[in-house]
């Protein structure tokens, strides 16, 4: 550890963590609040296309280059009948939606989502209902979505105007089934059994699909990590991924601790990976279970407002967190944590994408804009493709009452061989002082700085809102300098940095 207040990082192209799976930069849209209605879909909006898809929202999503989106829930999916959302819209039922206590009008369903995802340039990760549904619906929905033709469900899809199969590759076997709040909550054995039997028939219909089994809904659950072990004991050879979910909040207005929460995310990943490996050993399996961190974000600002929302409305403003500058720093640290474990975490979904705990906000009938957290997510998704390199970091550290040994520097480098670029992502967690950083790129030879992007704001509670949608924005005035294979920069206090280096 350095004694002075400065940090150093060594990266070497031979020390790779992984080739990053693009799906690490996934996101999530649930039938919840204004995510769908008033978010991505708003017929009659001045920016809506002929399908009712908001073009202004699509434009922002295209900027993010989102590779995959989990849909239709979340808690919603555990009471959802997917058949309510197909066929002529005027025949679709309005339902009481019990997870979020709203009215679901079913004007947007599988076929609309697949059309929308094509426009958004993203793949679909479909979550099936294992709360109120079971094995029968599990095989039916795969047949409707993916079977070419000549069977009841595939022909029904064709009759709805979709002769070509949707070819949905990634499927979640339910959502947070360990949580007592879940419709049709199950214990680990009950869930393990139905997940296994569903997985079997789904793959019998389409052997090319990949499946995600539900891990715990958080590492604070009483049943964690026994839940993971039991579920995998049933499903290990039949699924490709186990899910992790985690949300973080600055409930006590203790920013130094809040910024250290990404260490807990890393700890969570270690424990789940170890549990997977324990079951692998127990089963003498050759297969390595991969992880899908398919819900992660900051979520706490809207908690009080949500308690006051009247039930049984269509698309009320639920979970509308207005994100601050410090939330963007936490999201940056969480992205770096995911990259550090990208050998194991092959998919992840920022939860969610529009209006509901989201990087993108909209007004019904009005504008759409980028929240603070949009920027680290965009930078990572756009510049963080390629090889994640092992970050050998020396940094001064600090302690808080909850977490010890939090490095002031959180950082990782990604090597994009095709573009001949290395991008360093770095957060200075120090709230009071700049942090001098030296990056030693020894094996890369000499390089030059393409740009040094910085997201910072004198007010850590600054937000982008409807009146001031551009208050917090990145600038490219960072001071990184390259000299041969050494790069130095002074990272401003409480800042997110993207240092893009071209290899000479
Ligand atoms: O993303 C919001 C909710 O958080 C999801 O519906 C649920 O899966 C989780 O508890």
């Amino acid at each position: 550890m350095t004694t002075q207040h400065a940090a150093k990082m060594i990266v070497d192209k031979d020390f790779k963590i992984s080739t990053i799976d693009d799906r690490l930069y996934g996101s999530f849209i649930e039938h919840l609040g204004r995510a769908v209605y008033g978010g991505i879909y708003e017929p009659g909006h001045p920016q809506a296309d002929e399908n009712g898809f908001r073009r202004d929202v699509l434009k922002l999503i295209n900027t993010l280059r989102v590779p995959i989106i989990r849909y239709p829930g979340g808690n919603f999916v555990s009471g959802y009948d997917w058949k309510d959302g197909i066929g002529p819209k005027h025949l679709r039922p309005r339902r009481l939606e019990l997870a979020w206590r709203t009215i679901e009008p079913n004007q947007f369903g599988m076929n609309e989502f697949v059309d929308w995802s094509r426009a958004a340039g993203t793949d679909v990760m479909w979550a099936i209902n294992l709360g109120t549904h079971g094995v029968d619906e599990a095989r039916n929905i795969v047949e409707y979505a993916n079977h070419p033709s000549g069977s009841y469900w595939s022909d029904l899809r064709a009759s709805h105007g979709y002769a070509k199969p949707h070819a949905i590759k990634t499927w979640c076997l339910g959502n947070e089934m360990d949580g007592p709040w879940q419709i049709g909550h199950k214990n680990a054995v009950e869930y393990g059994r139905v997940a296994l039997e569903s997985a079997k028939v789904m793959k019998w219909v389409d052997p090319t699909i990949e499946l995600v089994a539900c891990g715990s809904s958080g590492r604070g659950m009483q049943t964690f990590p026994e839940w993971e072990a039991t579920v995998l004991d049933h499903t290990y050879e039949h699924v490709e991924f186990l899910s992790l979910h985690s949300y973080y909040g600055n409930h006590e207005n203790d920013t130094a601790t809040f910024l250290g929460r990404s260490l807990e995310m890393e700890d969570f990943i270690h424990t789940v990976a170890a549990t997977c490996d324990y079951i692998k050993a127990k089963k003498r399996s050759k297969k390595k279970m991969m992880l899908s961190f398919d819900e992660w974000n900051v979520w706490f600002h809207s908690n009080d407002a949500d308690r006051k929302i009247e039930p049984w409305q269509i698309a009320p403003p639920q979970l509308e967190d207005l994100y601050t500058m410090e939330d963007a720093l936490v999201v940056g640290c969480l992205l770096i944590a995911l990259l550090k474990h990208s050998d194991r975490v092959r998919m992840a979904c920022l939860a969610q994408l529009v209006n509901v705990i989201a990087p993108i906000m909209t007004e019904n009938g009005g504008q759409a804009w980028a929240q603070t957290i949009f920027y680290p997510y965009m930078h990572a998704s756009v510049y963080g493709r390629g090889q994640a390199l092992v970050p050998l970091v020396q940094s001064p550290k600090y302690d808080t009452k909850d977490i010890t040994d939090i490095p002031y520097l959180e950082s990782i480098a990604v090597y994009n061989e095709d573009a001949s670029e290395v991008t360093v992502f770095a957060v200075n967690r120090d709230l009071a002082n700049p942090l001098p950083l030296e990056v030693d790129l020894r094996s890369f030879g000499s390089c030059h700085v393409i740009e040094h992007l910085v997201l910072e704001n004198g007010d850590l509670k600054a937000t982008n809102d409807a009146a001031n949608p551009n208050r917090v924005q990145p600038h490219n005035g960072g001071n990184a300098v390259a000299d041969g294979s050494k790069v130095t920069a002074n990272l401003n206090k409480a800042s997110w940095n993207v240092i893009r280096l071209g290899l000479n």
Side-chain angles (χ1 to χ4, degrees), residues 28 30 32 70 73-76 100 175-176 181-182 217 245 247 295 299 319 351-352 356-357:
F28 177 29
E30 177 168 4
L32 157 58
R70 186 165 175 257
N75 296 339
F76 167 82
W100 302 102
N175 175 71
E176 294 191 349
W181 58 86
Q182 206 66 216
S217 47
H245 290 182
Y247 293 98
E295 288 190 33
W299 173 14
L319 280 63
Q352 299 191 10
V356 172
I357 44 173

